Every structure is written in structure tokens, then in C-alpha cells.
Amino acid sequence: MMVKGRKVLICNCEETMDLDARKLCAGGDVPTIHRHLCRAGIAAYENALSGGEPLLVACTQEAPLFTEIAEEAGADDRVSFVNIRERAGWTSRGQDPHAKITALLEEAVLEPTPTGLKTIESSGLCLVYGAGQQALDAALLLNNRLSVTLLLSDASDLILPSVMEIPLYSGRIRGLTGSLGQFSVTVDGYAPLMPSSRSDAQFLMARDGAQSECAVIVDISGGAPLVTGAEKRDGYFRADPKDPAAVARILLEAGEMVGTFEKPLYVSYDAEICAHSRSGRSGCSNCLDACPAGAITDAGDTVHYDHGICAGCGSCAASCPTGAVSYAYPRREDLITRIQTLITTYRDAGGKRPALLIHDEATGSDLIAAMARMGRGLPGHMLPLSLHSVHQTGHEVILAAMLAGAEHVVWLCDPRKAPELPPLEAQIALAEAFLTGLGHDGEGRLHIVETGDPGVLEDALYNLRARTWAAPRRIAAVGGKRDVARAVLSELRATGHNPADVIELPAGAPYGRISIDTEGCTLCLSCVSACPAGALGDNEERPQVRFTEAACVQCGLCADTCPEKVISLEPRYDFSADAMTGRVLNEEEPATCISCGKAFGTQSTIDRITEKLSGNHWMFRSADQIKLIQMCDDCRVAAQWTMPDSPLRLGERPSPRTTADYLEADKAGLSVDDFLKRN
């Protein structure tokens, strides 16, 4: 069976899946359904390898065996795997899995854009931080694989060995920065062990603020985590010292952290369209607020991403209003293509009521497998979508899934990551507001299931009620985040029931308009220069503020920059053509120079200044002085040279003394000064 140029091998796993080859062919060649591909039927796999085509094996449990055989044949780069058993075939009786399996196979052969990689070098220099004998024992065990230094927070129960194989110090870690291969540690009370220590450990010359670097940190101190998002920080291993199994586990994991590693560059960042700040004024801080790992820091008008720290949760990209931060694992266009492929293929194969289950690969797959083995398995219409992180889905992706025909979208979230949910919840609320405003009955279609219990997940999925939905549509997910969102919204509006022209959105939404209180506005145009999205503009011909609503990201920089504080924000989405073109928010007649006629400001401002200063300030008492206010810069300077009482006038310049002056004075018998005074 061929799917988009890739040969697919399917096994019914000793007939534990009731598969009909004719229902999987989709109009093509009828595939062979193997019964025991990984054992009795292994020859069929070996023959397929010799054919030279790329292979897709519909089994993940025996992937290590299939990979080993492929490596021996020099064909491991041509083999990939997809799980159809736990995700589709093992389900409760009466549910036809064929449409879902067809969709899973179609999704599996998609080739996303490769993600960039960051190369990390780890020297294996490891700092073990903990208390007493337990920390020493752990450090000595780990020293067989890494180069270990032990820092003791407490040495009270330490029994010193006769041979000290590792450097040993006392102290407490005050600060820790960095990630795998490049940690920087600051220690207070830092003191080396005295070699002459006998019954008790003695330390010499403690000092604060000692600094050092290492590649790996093993923290079994039992204190608070030393870094933000400790469980996400590569190279930082932390366990409760009261849990021996957890300590043993991190020692095994840490022992592997030496050598060269490659880490995906989960996000890309375009500083040119970032709305974080301008000229010291704060605007959008969504990514900073959303990042649970502390990988994003303020860099003035922009932000800085530490890709060594970034764990790829994707919350920053989902909540970025401009698309300056884009997720790359996978990219937006590839993710939407996967979603559309799953739903469309499922429907084309005869599937009904498609729903989408978004889960992370690490924990979600285990829960799905537990449901399949011990319970009813996934509902037949529930299409699983595995991601590195479920939090990467922004409102444009959610709406694209609904447009494609998803009856429900469910996010399976790890309860241990509950603090990371607010950005995702905000994106869901925004998507619901759009669906409702466009006449699609969005309430009750988007669900977060926060559980680690397969029984709870199973009940939640089987209790979803049937909902009607409009005819599905697809889009080409090209362009930036706002381009994709605009394309999806246009299609949803075309299929909605009595869609609104203007939709009110929740606070913090990245769409909307601004209002200016024209009574207090001086048309200083500070807002125009501060706008990072080009939503605000001026007019070279006259004092004017123009606004293009479609470009506004509601960052608030204009309101924060405005010296008169007359700007307010209103989150909404306007579908009218006016939103795409600039509209005038405030304008005035220009003031013209009374000397040269050049426009140089607003007439109301000049009138107000004239009224306020005339006769009330020592520099503006005469008529000529008052006229200076009504002149442009060039004419104002020129006029001050000719005013009789101008401080710029320094009087007549004295005539220079020459040789002729001295000769004339000598003839007259006078001094030169007397001669000049007389003449």
C-alpha cells in the first residue's frame, strides 16, 4: 500500500484489531494486512526494505526491532513509524477504526519544514549540591561518569573517606544562571575542606560571592529550586533527598550529560515587528509573562531569547500579538496542514463527527495507551494530534481546526503544568468570542482536560455531546500570524449564521481600535512615532493622526507614550472595509508662519501659547516679541537679530587699530586712545 510515495506496512497485531484491507485502500491498491509483522512476518519487512522505497511501519511498540534490522541493511533513514493500535485500532466494540487509521497514515507521511538546531557542548563538569553523607555518596557514584565537585549545604553527619576522590566544599548557592554546558554559580560561605579534618569535616576561610562555572547541576539539597522552571532546565537535575528512587533516577540521567548535544530551536524571533517597548516606554509583555522557564528577558525595546534555557512550551508564540515570536517545532503552516489533513482525510474516508485531541508526546501518549489497554480506548471520532507542547496553539490554529470541521477540540494538559495554562486559556477565550460573534455557537466546543488519570480522560471524551457544524473548509496557511488569522476569520464569517460586522473581544485581545479625546489632544504625534505596527500615521501636509484598525495589536504603547493621556484602547474585530484603510482620528488647520507662510504647527496650539505668554512673561511683552511665537524656527531666529532690544544684538563693533592710527597719534603728540576718541 502506497501513501504519497511511501510504502505502508500494516499489521493487525495478532488479530487484536479488526481491520478490513478494502476499507483502508482509499481507492488504491488493496494492502496486505499482516498478522505478526514483527516476528513470523519479519521477512515481509525485510523484503520491503530491499525495495528502496521509503517505508512507514504502522507499529511503534516494535520500532526498536525494526530500526535495528533497517540499520543492518543500511536503510534506517528510509523508515518511519506511526501508532495506529493504541490511537485507533484498540477501541471499544462497535466503533469502526478505518477512517481514523486512514487519517493517521495520511498525517504520518507529511514532511514538515526541518527545525533549526542549537549545538551544545557539555564538558561533564558536574556540581553536586546537597547535605551530609547522602550528598557525598551520590557524588562518589556520579564521579564514575562525570567530573564531580561536591558542595555541602550541611556537613553534620559526614563520614570522611580515607581517600577523597572528589573536591569537597561547604557553602550555599545564592544564584544560578545558564543551562546545560554553561551554568554559572554564585556561592556564599564558600570554603574548602581542610585535609587535616579528622572526626568532623572542617572548612577553611569561608567567603561570600564566590563564582564558578560547570556543565551540569545535581541538586539534592531539598530546598527551593535554584532556577525558574526547574523541571524544564536542561542540565539541572533536582530530586527530593527523601525519595531515594528519585535521587537514583536523576543520577542516571545526569551521568549521560557529557559530550555534544543538539537541541531544537523551538521559536524564531523577529525584533522588527516586536511591540515590547519603544524609547523606554513599555508596551506588550505577553511573552515575558507567559514564559515558565525564564528563557526570555527584557532587552530594552526588544526581548532576548536564551535558546539554551527555552524548553519549547510555545506559550510565547501563542500569545504574541504581532507574530514576532513564531513557533518552529512545528511551524504554524505545518501544524495547520497536519490538522486539516487529519480532519479532511477522516471525513473523506467516511468518518463522522471529527473531533481533535491535542496532547503532548511525553505524557499524553502514555494516557492514551492506558485507555486502549485497560479501558474503552479513544472514541472512534477522536483524532489524536501529538505535539511537543499543547500550549503552542494560538487562536489562529484553533479557529483553523474549527474551520476544517472539528466538532470539538480538546487539550489534554498535565496537572503538574497548571501554572502554564493561563496563556492557552486566553487563546481559547479569544477563539470562542470569534466563533460566537460569527454565528457558529462556539460555547462548549473547546475543552481543557487537566488530568493524569486515564479514566478521567476517557469519561471526558465519551461525554462530549454531538454538535452541528457548517461545511468544512481549508485555507493555505501562508504569511504571518495575523495574515493566517484574517484568512481563517474571513472563511468562518462566510459560513456563519448572521455574523456580526464588529465583534467585541476579551481584554488583552490583539485586535481593536484606539480612541482619542480630541479636546485634550495637541497633535504632538508622539503616538505615531511610538506605534510599532504602523497602525498610526501622520500627514505631511497638515496636522493629523490617522489610524488603520486592521494593523493595531493593542500593545498600548500609544496610550503610554501620550503626554496628555487622551488615548484609550478598545479590543474588538471590525470586518468592514474601513478597518483596512486609514481613518482620521484627529486633525486641525496648520499654523502658518507670519513671515514666510510655511506651516509649522497647529493653529490651536499657537493661539493657546500666544494667549498664555502675551504680557505674562518678560520675554513676550512687546508686539515684536509676541510675533516670534507666530513664526517658524528659521524666521524666529532671523527676527531676533534685528530687534532693538534683542540679547543677540551686541552693539557696534569697535574699529580695529592699524599702523596708520599709531603714526597719526605720534604726529599729533597724543596717545592712540586719545587720538581715537578725538577722531
Side-chain angles (χ1 to χ4, degrees):
M1 175 180 176
M2 301 296 292
V3 177
K4 289 186 170 59
R6 189 174 289 268
K7 188 171 185 177
V8 181
L9 299 180
I10 300 175
C11 178
N12 62 21
C13 200
E14 297 187 284
E15 299 180 357
T16 57
M17 292 185 285
D18 186 12
L19 301 182
D20 185 339
R22 291 169 298 178
K23 292 184 178 181
L24 294 174
C25 65
D29 296 335
V30 178
T32 299
I33 304 296
H34 300 276
R35 184 180 182 276
H36 206 174
L37 184 64
C38 61
R39 297 294 186 271
I42 198 68
Y45 172 69
E46 293 172 336
N47 289 336
L49 282 177
S50 64
E53 307 102 334
L55 295 183
L56 175 63
V57 181
C59 173
T60 53
Q61 176 177 286
E62 298 300 324
L65 171 63
F66 291 125
T67 300
E68 182 180 349
I69 295 173
E71 287 175 347
E72 292 175 355
D76 54 299
D77 60 336
R78 293 192 285 110
V79 183
S80 57
F81 304 92
V82 59
N83 180 357
I84 65 169
R85 189 179 68 179
E86 283 85 356
R87 299 202 295 166
W90 281 1
T91 187
S92 59
R93 292 187 179 276
Q95 299 192 73
D96 186 347
H98 294 88
K100 186 197 289 191
I101 291 175
T102 302
L104 293 176
L105 295 177
E106 286 285 339
E107 183 217 0
V109 299
L110 294 175
E111 296 183 359
T113 305
T115 302
L117 299 173
K118 175 182 175 65
T119 301
I120 298 174
E121 298 287 344
S122 173
S123 64
L125 184 61
C126 174
L127 176 65
V128 174
Y129 180 50
Q133 190 64 37
Q134 182 190 38
L136 177 59
D137 292 342
L140 291 173
L141 283 172
L142 195 56
N143 194 50
N144 294 324
R145 309 178 75 177
L146 302 177
S147 178
V148 176
T149 297
L150 175 60
L151 180 66
L152 290 172
S153 58
D154 183 1
S156 58
D157 68 339
L158 194 66
I159 301 175
L160 294 172
S162 58
V163 177
M164 184 57 68
E165 300 178 4
I166 59 174
L168 193 154
Y169 299 87
S170 175
R172 291 190 174 274
I173 295 180
R174 185 215 304 171
L176 177 64
T177 59
S179 57
L180 176 64
Q182 50 183 8
F183 283 107
S184 179
V185 186
T186 302
V187 180
D188 287 341
Y190 176 78
L193 177 71
M194 294 178 63
S196 59
S197 297
R198 188 174 180 181
S199 59
D200 298 324
Q202 302 293 321
F203 299 90
L204 181 67
M205 299 177 64
R207 62 189 178 92
D208 293 340
Q211 293 186 330
S212 185
E213 296 180 350
C214 59
V216 181
I217 300 281
V218 173
D219 179 6
I220 52 174
S221 64
L226 300 174
V227 294
T228 302
E231 71 284 354
K232 301 177 180 293
R233 189 69 60 96
D234 293 334
Y236 177 72
F237 300 90
R238 177 175 176 267
D240 185 346
K242 297 178 182 179
D243 186 347
V247 173
R249 184 169 57 252
I250 67 168
L251 292 181
L252 286 172
E253 294 173 355
E256 302 294 330
M257 294 292 103
V258 58
T260 302
F261 302 88
E262 288 185 335
K263 179 179 181 179
L265 297 174
Y266 295 109
V267 298
S268 60
Y269 174 63
D270 182 0
E272 292 296 321
I273 58 174
C274 179
H276 171 57
S277 178
R278 288 294 184 275
S279 304
R281 294 285 186 174
S282 298
C284 173
S285 62
N286 287 2
C287 60
L288 290 165
D289 298 337
C291 181
I296 312 173
T297 53
D298 189 323
D301 284 353
T302 59
V303 297
H304 172 70
Y305 275 78
D306 188 327
H307 292 286
I309 295 176
C310 176
C313 73
S315 294
C316 56
S319 56
C320 178
T322 65
V325 186
S326 293
Y327 203 72
Y329 194 68
R331 301 178 190 277
R332 181 184 300 107
E333 55 269 32
D334 292 330
L335 175 55
I336 292 178
T337 299
R338 285 178 61 190
I339 292 172
Q340 293 179 149
T341 298
L342 274 172
I343 297 174
T344 303
T345 305
Y346 172 79
R347 294 178 69 105
D348 291 346
K352 307 295 184 184
R353 298 181 52 213
L356 194 65
L357 173 63
I358 302 176
H359 67 91
D360 62 51
E361 181 61 35
T363 58
S365 296
D366 291 340
L367 279 183
I368 291 172
M371 287 172 56
R373 291 175 180 274
M374 308 302 294
R376 291 175 286 177
L378 286 177
H381 69 289
M382 187 60 64
L383 304 172
L385 178 68
S386 174
L387 299 177
H388 176 71
S389 169
V390 300
H391 301 90
Q392 66 179 269
T393 47
H395 66 279
E396 77 286 2
V397 174
I398 300 170
L399 293 172
M402 302 303 293
L403 177 66
E407 184 180 78
H408 295 274
V409 178
V410 181
W411 287 263
L412 173 57
C413 297
D414 189 339
R416 293 170 296 181
K417 299 179 181 179
E420 301 177 27
L421 281 178
L424 175 60
E425 291 170 337
Q427 293 300 303
I428 292 174
L430 180 56
E432 287 178 336
F434 275 121
L435 290 172
T436 301
L438 292 173
H440 284 289
D441 187 21
E443 187 176 354
R445 293 185 181 272
L446 309 176
H447 319 265
I448 291 178
V449 179
E450 191 178 351
T451 185
D453 186 333
V456 173
L457 175 60
E458 183 178 289
D459 290 341
L461 297 182
Y462 277 91
N463 288 332
L464 295 176
R465 64 187 181 91
R467 305 290 291 269
T468 58
W469 191 241
R473 295 192 181 189
R474 300 184 63 153
I475 63 158
V478 296
K481 179 175 185 175
R482 295 174 73 86
D483 298 320
V484 173
R486 189 173 293 112
V488 174
L489 290 170
S490 295
E491 293 294 331
L492 285 171
R493 187 167 186 262
T495 58
H497 177 67
N498 293 327
D501 291 330
V502 177
I503 299 175
E504 301 302 320
L505 299 177
Y511 308 97
R513 67 176 179 179
I514 69 168
S515 299
I516 296 179
D517 181 1
T518 56
E519 291 296 322
C521 177
T522 62
L523 284 169
C524 67
L525 303 182
S526 296
C527 55
V528 174
S529 60
C531 181
L536 287 168
D538 57 5
N539 187 333
E540 294 182 358
E541 303 298 326
R542 59 190 299 110
Q544 188 180 86
V545 175
R546 299 181 63 83
F547 176 66
T548 305
E549 184 167 339
C552 181
V553 299
Q554 296 282 286
C555 65
L557 272 169
C558 56
D560 189 65
T561 303
C562 178
E564 285 80 27
K565 304 303 178 187
V566 295
I567 298 178
S568 58
L569 308 179
E570 181 185 349
R572 67 175 203 169
Y573 195 95
D574 187 352
F575 286 91
S576 69
D578 289 343
M580 302 295 293
T581 59
R583 66 184 72 170
V584 176
L585 295 184
N586 192 20
E587 67 176 339
E588 286 190 28
E589 291 298 321
T592 55
C593 177
I594 61 174
S595 178
C596 69
K598 182 175 73 174
F600 70 100
T602 63
Q603 189 60 54
S604 64
T605 299
I606 298 302
D607 291 343
R608 188 161 54 250
I609 294 174
T610 302
E611 180 181 357
K612 190 167 244 184
L613 296 181
S614 296
N616 298 320
H617 193 282
W618 65 272
M619 292 183 64
F620 300 98
R621 296 192 182 280
S622 69
D624 289 339
Q625 290 172 326
I626 294 172
K627 288 180 180 179
L628 294 176
I629 302 173
Q630 301 166 339
M631 296 180 185
C632 65
D633 292 343
D634 294 337
C635 293
R636 187 179 303 125
V637 172
Q640 290 184 75
W641 284 102
T642 61
M643 293 174 61
D645 56 350
S646 171
L648 299 179
R649 291 177 61 87
L650 301 178
E652 294 293 333
R653 182 176 180 181
S655 300
R657 295 180 179 181
T658 65
T659 300
D661 292 330
Y662 284 98
L663 293 175
E664 289 295 328
D666 184 61
K667 289 179 181 179
L670 299 172
S671 68
V672 175
D673 289 334
D674 290 339
F675 174 79
L676 292 176
K677 288 177 183 178
R678 192 181 66 178
N679 294 278

